[in-house]
Amino acid sequence: MTNFLLSVVIPIYNEEQTVDMLLKRLTRVLKGGNYELLFVDDGSGDNTAAVIKNAAKNNKQIKLVSFSRNFGHQMALACGYAYAKGDAVVSMDADLQDPPEIIPQMIEKWQTGAQIVYAKREKRDVDGFIKKITAQLFYRFINFLSDTTIPNDVGDFRLLDKEIVSFLNRLPEHSRFLRGLVAWGGYREDYVYFNREKRVAGATHYTLSRMVNFALEGITSFSIKPLRLASYLGFTAGAVGFFGIIYALLGKIFLPSHWVTGWTALFVGIMFLGGIQLITIGIIGEYVGKIYQEVQHRPRFLVREKVNL
Ligand code: UDP
Ligand code: MG
């Protein structure tokens, strides 16, 4: 583990309690190796940055980039990739749900030719029922919609060869749905398996609304099929309406005595069509919003401070 440089990128947000434990376990695993631990502080409001800076004083292998505010996990990861100098770059969570102990296995797979080594969750016992179900549904749905297959049960715990990191850094788009982008490249991939542990301290930052946003980001970044779906909905509703007209005309001409005017059908029809129209506008709106964000060309994140970099 000395003939190459390993970067470990760790997005971190309000995790002051986990840093010491994380550093202890990481340095034990990587002892003797040539490595850098690159923390990206995503605008923490607690002492996270101070704890890391303190550790970085005596150890130049510990590096820190601090954001001016919270830009989100994916942007913190993107920033880590931008600063990482390693021949191989591992990304992992700061809360020790991703065990550092499997990093040597990932390195082995990389050295035998894989350019992406995913850490796949064998069991998700610690995740709640809702999280498991929503995650399953999300991957099913996104893989159904998108031409890029995003591997199931794989988070952002992975090793990337520097070629892929530089490919990611060169991508011009603002939006970063990294697990999709990594898969999109089509590089040689391999897996190692682990059991996802409990957080050592604190609580998840991914609330339901954040997960929904993340899912929408993923879908709109990798598929325009929802737009096509909108057209299909329009055609279907139009066809139903057309047959409705024929039915009504025929009824009026041939069965005038049996013909009863119904408010229900009218009401249901209006509600149904109104619903379809709003959904369609919403779908288009998602993509318009995406275009808007891209043309703004704002920086993905703002750096306030750098340590040992
Ligand atoms: N994180 C971050 N910015 C955020 C939210 C989370 O950098 O806005 C970090 C967090 O500190 C952790 C990782 O991203 O290292 C994963 O977050 P979390 O554990 O809350 O998500 P979960 O594991 O529950 O999906
Ligand atoms: Mg976590």
Side-chain angles (χ1 to χ4, degrees), residues 10-15 40 42 70-73 76 92-95 97 131 196 199 203-206 210:
I10 308 156
I12 189 159
Y13 178 54
N14 290 347
E15 311 267 15
V40 183
D42 188 10
N70 182 251
F71 281 89
H73 178 205
M92 63 183 291
D93 288 358
D95 55 7
Q97 286 197 283
K131 178 123 187 174
R196 193 146 159 95
R199 264 184 164 271
T204 176
H205 301 100
Y206 273 93
R210 268 192 156 191

Side-chain angles (χ1 to χ4, degrees), residues 21-192:
M21 176 87 96
L22 176 68
L23 281 174
K24 213 197 251 147
R25 278 175 63 181
L26 267 172
T27 44
R28 197 191 306 145
V29 172
L30 302 175
K31 208 158 94 193
N34 186 13
Y35 66 89
E36 58 174 5
L37 304 180
L38 180 52
F39 287 91
V40 183
D41 168 28
D42 188 10
S44 297
D46 64 359
N47 279 323
T48 303
V51 178
I52 296 168
K53 268 194 255 178
N54 200 28
K57 255 188 245 157
N58 313 316
N59 186 348
K60 296 281 169 274
Q61 289 173 301
I62 298 175
K63 301 171 183 186
L64 171 71
V65 182
S66 276
F67 282 177
S68 61
R69 64 165 169 86
N70 182 251
F71 281 89
H73 178 205
Q74 296 293 300
M75 292 306 168
L77 262 178
C79 170
Y81 285 146
Y83 282 95
K85 295 207 179 62
D87 301 297
V89 180
V90 169
S91 51
M92 63 183 291
D93 288 358
D95 55 7
L96 285 166
Q97 286 197 283
D98 303 334
E101 287 72 22
I102 66 167
I103 292 176
Q105 290 174 43
M106 297 167 100
I107 292 172
E108 229 168 80
K109 298 252 172 175
W110 169 64
Q111 285 176 324
T112 52
Q115 292 173 293
I116 307 169
V117 185
Y118 292 112
K120 200 169 163 97
R121 299 159 187 172
E122 225 162 9
K123 286 196 215 129
R124 299 179 75 133
D125 298 342
V126 297
D127 286 338
F129 180 70
I130 303 276
K131 178 123 187 174
K132 268 191 264 189
I133 292 284
T134 50
Q136 274 292 330
L137 277 177
F138 169 64
Y139 284 107
R140 284 266 168 82
F141 192 55
I142 197 167
N143 284 330
F144 166 70
L145 287 177
S146 145
D147 299 328
T148 307
T149 307
I150 298 171
N152 203 348
D153 272 335
V154 165
D156 284 309
F157 189 18
R158 63 183 162 244
L159 179 150
L160 297 181
D161 184 85
K162 68 165 185 281
E163 190 183 331
I164 295 155
V165 174
S166 93
F167 146 74
L168 290 173
N169 290 337
R170 281 193 317 263
L171 282 177
E173 67 215 71
H174 180 278
S175 109
R176 298 275 119 165
F177 182 71
L178 283 162
R179 35 189 102 160
L181 293 171
V182 166
W184 181 84
Y187 293 94
R188 282 191 305 279
E189 56 185 49
D190 208 338
Y191 294 88
V192 298

